[in-house]
Amino acid sequence: MMVWRHTLSALIASSFLIAPAAGHAEEEREGGILGTGIVGTITRLGSIIVNEQRITFPADLPVKNELGPLTAAQLVPGDTVAVVADLTGANWEAQSIRRILPIIGPVSEISSDETGRTFEIMGTAVHVPLSIATTVKQGDWVAISGLWQDEDVVATRVEVVPPRQSAVIIGSNLSVGASNVPQIGNTLIAGIIPQHVESGDVIRVTGIPEAGSIRATSLETGIFDGKVGLVQAEGYLSPPTSKGLYTLLGSGMVAFTDQPDMIDETAKVRLCGYDGKLGGNSTADASPELLEKLGCQ
């Protein structure tokens, strides 16, 4: 079930612009057949349930994973994933799965309050709810599953990992600090200046962790391992920029608004988009079956 605030729903109905959504099995773009993208948190198994969508897969399907080899059968509730899937009968069949770990790095500070614990990793705050039991200590390296909310991460799973040569941060390209240095969350990106990256694009940075920053050794864009048309994603909306651009954080999809006060940045939402554009009502050419299955109508 989609989570909406009434004003946000009205805004989507009145002001989003979107290209016609994919859905026909034979539709092709740039030489490849488009799949459907689903981005969110695994809530239960059998096969996996993401955003209330049941996704089946071969047990040995490899999962792209920053921590090393992993198969789809090893995924667990709390993992955040980006799946390229095809609708087969009544169920989705995964063609590829990427595990999304918004941040991997050493914990420099830990604080606690009545809602849970907060870790600082490379300058970015990670909020860990009380429902997630952890034994993390200052100095530990952790891999965080979860969703971006503004410049912080709301964790859905925390893993302590052995110290690594490289840290990782994955998120939407929106923030630029006062020194004009690119950043994700509150982590400054040093070492590599992103080229040909648009506002709202998801970038994946690997590098050396430093106080408040990561010294990049490599940078990639995108979250899917395949061509996608229609996308359904879970997350939080970003604050609009001065030009009205905002994104569903971590999805790579953007929209514009001339009513920034109507964007609720605190509510977790589940939205659809196509070809990098978020939301929309111009879906007359989309497959009704796909739209209904994803709850995009």
Side-chain angles (χ1 to χ4, degrees), residues 250-263:
S251 73
M253 299 185 295
V254 301
F256 289 84
T257 181
D258 57 4
Q259 302 176 69
D261 291 342
M262 297 180 70
I263 302 299

Side-chain angles (χ1 to χ4, degrees), residues 3-5 8 149 235-237 264-269:
V3 181
W4 300 96
R5 197 175 73 161
L8 176 61
Q149 184 178 24
Y236 296 88
L237 296 170
D264 186 354
E265 302 151 22
T266 65
K268 184 165 66 174
V269 296

Side-chain angles (χ1 to χ4, degrees), residues 53-95:
Q53 304 296 314
R54 183 174 186 269
I55 304 171
T56 64
F57 49 80
D60 59 351
L61 179 70
V63 174
K64 287 290 184 70
N65 178 39
E66 303 290 346
L67 296 177
L70 186 72
T71 66
Q74 294 173 297
L75 293 167
V76 299
D79 285 337
T80 40
V81 292
V83 182
V84 180
D86 291 332
L87 188 60
T88 304
N91 296 315
W92 296 102
E93 182 176 344
Q95 302 304 311

